[in-house]
Amino acid sequence: VTLARLSPINHLSAKMAETDLCFYMNFIFLNSADMLKEKMGGFLGGMAAKAINADEKISEKVAEKLTEAIPAATAEMGLKIEAKTVYRVGALCTVKFTIDSADPVALVTKAKGDEAGSAMTDIIAAMGVLGVEGGAKSIEDKILPKVKTGLMEKLTEKIPAKMEESGLKVEATAKEPSEQAEWFYTTLEEMSS
């Protein structure tokens, strides 16, 4: 078995990537103006927050950082993710994440340790030797939906906690593509009332 068989699989079908391996992270910034007012001080800070539209500025900066930082962090785990800001107006920001490819050995090693990673390498190698049709691709197809679910849960918890460390309160909601439209339009309606 050559090492080429153990390299990440990069050829997910477009349909599978769109339906099964993407999700939306929605962020509502709860205290942008207050945070800016506090940092700048009193009355002038309040005036500045209104003048520069604090929600808009904060969501722009956060979206920019998230679309760079999350793919970089997941790449270290063996997961290639594309992140794209799909909506950003006022206090609401939506980022679409799509899992492009994965290295099953790196994922298992990161999640379960070196011994499990080594076992995964052996399994993939054995599948190649035995001529198992689909081999590593079938393993990836089974792992990635679980990885996506775990990632949705972790990002929903960790991003608000991380932002709160710097004083920004944010509500984060992860949604499947089939749930996004209803959540999005309901939220827009609630925010405009």
Side-chain angles (χ1 to χ4, degrees):
V1 176
T2 65
L3 288 178
R5 288 188 187 266
L6 302 178
S7 64
I9 301 154
N10 296 313
H11 55 276
L12 294 173
S13 72
K15 182 179 178 188
M16 182 179 175
E18 272 305 305
T19 58
D20 294 340
L21 299 177
C22 73
F23 63 95
Y24 294 87
M25 285 298 303
N26 301 282
F27 304 97
I28 300 174
F29 302 99
L30 305 173
N31 69 333
S32 303
D34 294 340
M35 188 178 95
L36 190 59
K37 183 178 175 181
E38 188 177 300
K39 285 189 177 191
M40 294 183 77
F43 179 74
L44 289 177
M47 296 290 287
K50 286 181 184 174
I52 66 166
N53 191 347
D55 287 333
E56 195 72 29
K57 289 291 182 197
I58 296 285
S59 69
E60 179 182 3
K61 292 277 186 208
V62 170
E64 191 177 297
K65 286 183 181 180
L66 288 174
T67 56
E68 293 172 10
I70 292 174
T74 58
E76 293 175 11
M77 301 180 337
L79 194 59
K80 183 179 178 208
I81 289 185
E82 182 181 316
K84 180 181 178 189
T85 303
V86 293
Y87 183 85
R88 188 183 53 73
V89 173
L92 177 60
C93 174
T94 301
V95 179
K96 180 181 180 183
F97 292 95
T98 304
I99 299 173
D100 287 334
S101 63
D103 177 348
V105 174
L107 283 173
V108 170
T109 301
K110 190 76 172 169
K112 303 286 184 178
D114 290 338
E115 189 175 327
S118 179
M120 179 58 78
T121 300
D122 293 344
I123 290 169
I124 292 171
M127 292 174 96
V129 169
L130 296 172
V132 174
E133 202 171 308
K137 173 83 172 97
S138 66
I139 292 172
E140 183 182 87
D141 290 347
K142 298 241 188 287
I143 289 175
L144 288 182
K146 293 175 184 170
V147 168
K148 180 184 96 167
T149 301
L151 194 57
M152 289 171 71
E153 291 170 5
K154 281 187 178 183
L155 293 176
T156 301
E157 293 170 14
K158 290 188 175 200
I159 291 173
K162 189 74 172 165
M163 288 184 188
E164 193 153 4
E165 290 174 8
S166 62
L168 182 60
K169 292 182 182 168
V170 64
E171 183 181 296
T173 307
K175 291 292 177 188
E176 293 282 353
S178 62
E179 304 168 323
Q180 177 63 19
E182 183 176 348
W183 181 92
F184 182 77
Y185 290 115
T186 301
T187 301
L188 283 180
E189 187 177 317
E190 289 171 0
M191 290 176 75
S192 66
S193 331

